[in-house]
């Protein structure tokens, strides 16, 4: 089955056909670098990393272009820098570096392009000017505002109707706005805030215009796929479409939204122990802490264990299950490590799941089936079957971005250095005792390993070990 994607705009699963199969383009809204990312923020980059891996496999690695931006202009960044008394660039560099290091631990491949807002101010100013020229934005009191009433399809992505929105508006409206829903494209900066020159005065861009300007500059319009978390549908992505379309003078066309992104994908929200993460509850889990406490692949597996559009509850049992699942798969790879894997494609059932709007839970079931095939083949001594199943398992794992560690190292696991040294030394003594046919000594060492909860596996290349459990 070729790839089908649930498109938020059309509210249905659609066959994915790129505009140009030699250049499939994808944009995902990236982090605002003012603090460590929380575990919910890790869901989009992991989900879209699977999509990118699948697209690269389908269209060829050189025919996919993936951009994920870095928002390095933001009030929260300014506040953090002021609080710490350090330059803004120090804050943004620190949290971007941490983000990238944590992403690497999740096996998230870097995007092809990571545009920073601060590098695209002239492009942003140009796009704002184009929107004004098209009659869809106006300057007032140092601000530039998008005139939502000028764009015929405003509200199409989120399913909101402008008249209802206006009727429901209770917020205090800034005096320079013609319509309460007009949103900022450019705003003046205070003395201590970063600012750039523009035809409307010194200032800085609004949040939404960053993405539409960087998309146009880095990927070109229309892009094939635009992704992000479900909370971005309104207003961020609704506003991106309005800007991107109107900058090209298509405000009144019926299908005008097609001029911007051809498929819209949004992941569902992650909760922690069935509650929304919030600073006031004190249940915000930082990705940075989680990847110190456990292997990044466990975090990745947990994030992919529910379908991306569904909510995902993060809790201890999810983590235990994820660790157990990976242990089982690594166990099969380890047990069959002497047998060379064939270079094969993933099996049809795996592709059917993953191409069905990224059904990762279904795809994971195929991995378990393959690990069972490996175990059966090993038991039956059917080495051809093992070589095949290993090859298919490895092919599936490279699309999901898991099983990238050395199986022996994985199974030895989270063991303290002291224990590792002791076990390695016991194994050496055991090998020496066996070579000398000193069976009482070999037994004594085995008992000691048992006490340490260590399982020894003798293989063709010597003994390896893992913790019981
Ligand atoms: P932010 O830094 O808040 O703009 O968020 C970065 C990305 O994480 C956006 O795509 C958000 O939609 C997404 N996101 C934020 N919170 C969650 C959550 N609890 N669950 C899933 N995705 C989230
Ligand atoms: Zn964005």
């Amino acid at each position: 089955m070729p790839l089908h994607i649930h498109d938020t705009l059309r509210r249905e699963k659609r066959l994915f056909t790129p505009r140009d199969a030699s250049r499939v383009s994808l944009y995902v809204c990236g982090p605002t670098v003012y603090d460590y990312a929380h575990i919910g923020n890790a869901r989009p980059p992991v989900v879209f990393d699977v999509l990118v891996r699948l697209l690269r496999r389908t269209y060829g690695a050189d025919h996919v272009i993936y951009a994920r931006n870095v928002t390095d202009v933001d009030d929260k960044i300014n506040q953090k820098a002021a609080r710490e008394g350090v330059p803004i660039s120090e804050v943004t560099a620190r949290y971007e570096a941490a983000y990238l290091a944590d992403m690497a631990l999740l096996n998230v491949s870097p995007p092809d392009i990571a545009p920073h807002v601060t590098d695209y101010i002239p492009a942003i100013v140009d796009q704002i000017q184009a929107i004004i020229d098209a009659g869809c934005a106006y300057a007032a009191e140092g601000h530039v505002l998008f005139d939502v009433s000028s764009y015929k399809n405003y509200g199409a992505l989120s399913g909101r109707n402008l008249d209802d929105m206006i009727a429901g508006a209770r917020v205090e409206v800034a005096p320079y706005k013609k319509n309460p829903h007009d949103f900022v494209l450019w705003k003046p900066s205070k003395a201590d805030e970063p600012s750039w020159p523009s035809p409307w005065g010194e200032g800085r861009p609004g949040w939404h215009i960053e993405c539409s300007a960087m998309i146009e500059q880095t990927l070109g319009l229309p892009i094939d796929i635009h992704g992000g978390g479900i909370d971005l549908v309104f207003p961020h992505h609704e506003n991106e479409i309005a800007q991107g379309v109107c900058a090209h003078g298509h405000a009144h066309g019926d299908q005008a939204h097609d001029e911007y992104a051809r498929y819209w994908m949004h992941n569902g929200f992650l909760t922690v122990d069935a509650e929304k993460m919030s600073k006031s509850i004190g249940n915000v889990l930082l990705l940075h802490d989680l990847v110190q406490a456990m292997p990044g692949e466990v975090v990745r597996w947990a994030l992919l264990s529910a379908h991306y559009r569904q909510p995902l509850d993060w809790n201890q049992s999810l983590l235990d299950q994820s660790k157990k699942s990976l242990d089982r798969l690594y166990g099969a790879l380890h047990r069959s490590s002497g047998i060379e894997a064939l270079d094969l494609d993933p099996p049809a059932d795996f592709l059917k799941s993953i191409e069905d709007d990224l059904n990762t839970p279904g795809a994971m079931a195929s991995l378990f089936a393959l690990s069972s095939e490996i175990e059966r083949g090993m038991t039956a001594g059917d080495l051809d079957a093992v070589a095949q199943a290993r090859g298919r398992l490895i092919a599936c794992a490279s699309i999901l971005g898991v099983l990238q560690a050395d199986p022996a190292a994985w199974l030895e696991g989270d063991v303290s250095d002291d224990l590792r040294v002791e076990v390695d030394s016991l194994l050496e003594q055991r090998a020496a005792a066996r070579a000398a046919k000193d069976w009482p000594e070999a037994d004594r060492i085995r008992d000691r390993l048992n006490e340490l909860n260590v399982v020894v596996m003798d293989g063709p290349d010597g003994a390896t070990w893992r913790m019981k459990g």
Side-chain angles (χ1 to χ4, degrees):
M1 178 170 115
L3 176 60
H4 283 65
I5 286 177
H6 184 276
D7 179 0
T8 311
L9 179 62
R10 290 181 181 71
R11 295 168 175 72
E12 63 180 10
K13 228 189 268 181
R14 299 168 56 211
L15 173 67
F16 176 68
T17 49
R19 191 167 65 110
D20 172 0
S22 70
R23 193 178 177 282
V24 181
S25 57
L26 175 84
Y27 184 93
V28 175
C29 296
T32 304
V33 282
Y34 70 98
D35 203 345
Y36 292 113
H38 63 58
I39 183 62
N41 300 139
R43 197 174 187 194
V46 167
V47 163
F48 292 105
D49 183 57
V50 173
L51 177 63
V52 170
R53 286 165 181 264
L54 179 63
L55 293 171
R56 289 198 197 292
R57 180 185 172 278
T58 310
Y59 296 96
D62 298 339
H63 299 299
V64 176
I65 178 160
Y66 172 32
R68 188 185 68 209
N69 71 298
V70 175
T71 296
D72 59 354
V73 177
D74 185 88
D75 288 345
K76 287 190 251 137
I77 300 174
N78 303 341
Q79 285 156 16
K80 182 92 162 198
R83 235 185 358 255
E84 290 189 6
V86 299
I88 284 173
S89 56
E90 190 176 316
V91 170
T92 55
R94 182 197 310 155
Y95 292 110
E96 180 179 357
Y99 185 80
L100 294 177
D102 294 341
M103 284 297 134
L105 291 173
L106 296 181
N107 298 343
V108 171
S109 326
D112 300 300
I113 312 174
H116 292 62
V117 180
T118 48
D119 293 331
Y120 285 85
I121 302 292
I124 292 171
V125 167
D126 284 352
Q127 196 176 71
I128 296 174
Q129 188 62 57
I131 298 170
I132 295 176
D133 293 346
C136 298
Y138 56 96
E141 297 178 30
H143 293 74
V144 180
L145 293 141
F146 188 93
D147 174 1
V148 289
S149 69
S150 70
Y151 176 44
K152 183 170 174 238
N153 283 325
Y154 192 77
L157 181 71
S158 57
R160 293 172 192 227
N161 169 305
L162 195 55
D163 294 336
D164 294 347
M165 282 190 243
I166 292 168
R170 274 191 214 99
V171 282
E172 203 172 311
V173 180
Y176 47 81
K177 286 193 183 184
K178 287 191 196 162
N179 181 316
H181 292 278
D182 290 353
F183 57 88
V184 166
L185 302 179
W186 189 265
K187 59 186 168 190
S189 293
K190 296 196 193 86
D192 53 344
E193 291 172 343
S195 74
W196 291 266
S198 85
W200 319 286
E202 290 273 321
R204 60 188 196 280
W207 172 35
H208 317 300
I209 194 77
E210 295 168 5
C211 284
S212 55
M214 292 192 290
I215 284 178
E216 179 160 14
Q217 280 289 308
T218 59
L219 300 175
L221 296 182
I223 57 169
D224 287 308
I225 303 171
H226 195 319
I230 187 88
D231 58 321
L232 299 186
V233 171
F234 190 87
H236 186 50
H237 291 163
E238 193 77 75
N239 293 354
E240 272 192 44
I241 297 179
Q243 295 160 164
V245 169
C246 294
H248 293 275
H250 296 193
H252 306 292
D254 276 337
Q255 289 299 314
H257 38 248
D258 273 2
E259 305 287 329
Y260 188 63
R262 304 173 69 247
Y263 296 80
W264 285 90
M265 292 175 77
H266 292 98
N267 64 270
F269 248 45
L270 182 150
T271 50
V272 171
D273 293 321
E275 284 191 287
K276 187 174 177 319
M277 249 183 288
S278 98
K279 284 207 171 124
S280 57
I281 303 178
N283 64 348
V284 178
L285 296 179
L286 298 181
L287 171 64
H288 194 64
D289 296 335
L290 289 166
V291 291
Q292 304 303 318
M294 65 190 80
E297 279 194 15
V298 172
V299 176
R300 184 178 175 106
W301 186 275
L303 287 170
L304 294 174
S305 61
H307 186 268
Y308 78 90
R309 298 181 57 221
Q310 297 301 317
L312 171 65
D313 189 45
W314 193 265
N315 53 52
Q316 191 55 46
S317 114
L318 173 71
L319 294 178
D320 294 345
Q321 271 304 323
S322 301
K323 173 78 166 54
K324 241 166 95 180
S325 299
L326 285 165
D327 283 350
R328 180 170 151 201
L329 299 172
Y330 272 114
L333 284 180
H334 185 260
R335 198 171 162 212
S336 59
S337 57
I339 295 156
E340 193 162 346
L342 296 177
D343 186 13
L344 294 174
D345 284 334
D349 59 349
F350 174 89
L351 289 173
K352 188 167 178 241
S353 298
I354 205 78
E355 291 184 333
D356 179 11
D357 193 30
L358 297 187
N359 176 2
T360 49
M364 286 169 165
S366 302
L367 272 69
F368 293 129
L370 288 165
S371 84
S372 301
E373 269 178 46
I374 292 176
E375 301 285 1
R376 273 199 304 276
M378 289 303 289
T379 308
D382 183 349
L383 303 189
D384 286 348
V386 174
Q388 284 206 20
R390 262 180 83 81
R392 295 200 194 283
L393 178 57
I394 290 167
C396 296
S398 80
I399 293 179
L400 288 184
V402 294
L403 304 182
Q404 308 295 301
D406 171 56
W410 176 277
L411 294 167
E412 285 172 18
D414 326 303
V415 177
S416 73
D417 286 347
D418 287 353
L419 180 61
R420 195 180 299 279
V421 169
E422 178 170 8
V423 172
D424 286 344
S425 135
L426 283 167
L427 286 178
E428 269 174 39
Q429 294 170 35
R430 176 171 166 271
R434 287 172 137 203
K437 302 199 185 328
D438 183 351
W439 307 122
E441 174 65 359
D443 284 350
R444 189 193 66 75
I445 295 168
R446 190 199 53 212
D447 292 346
R448 174 70 190 138
L449 287 163
N450 232 335
E451 274 169 30
L452 292 172
N453 254 335
V454 166
V455 187
V456 178
M457 293 158 288
D458 287 302
D461 306 324
T464 54
W465 57 278
R466 64 179 168 87
M467 302 306 291
K468 277 182 210 164

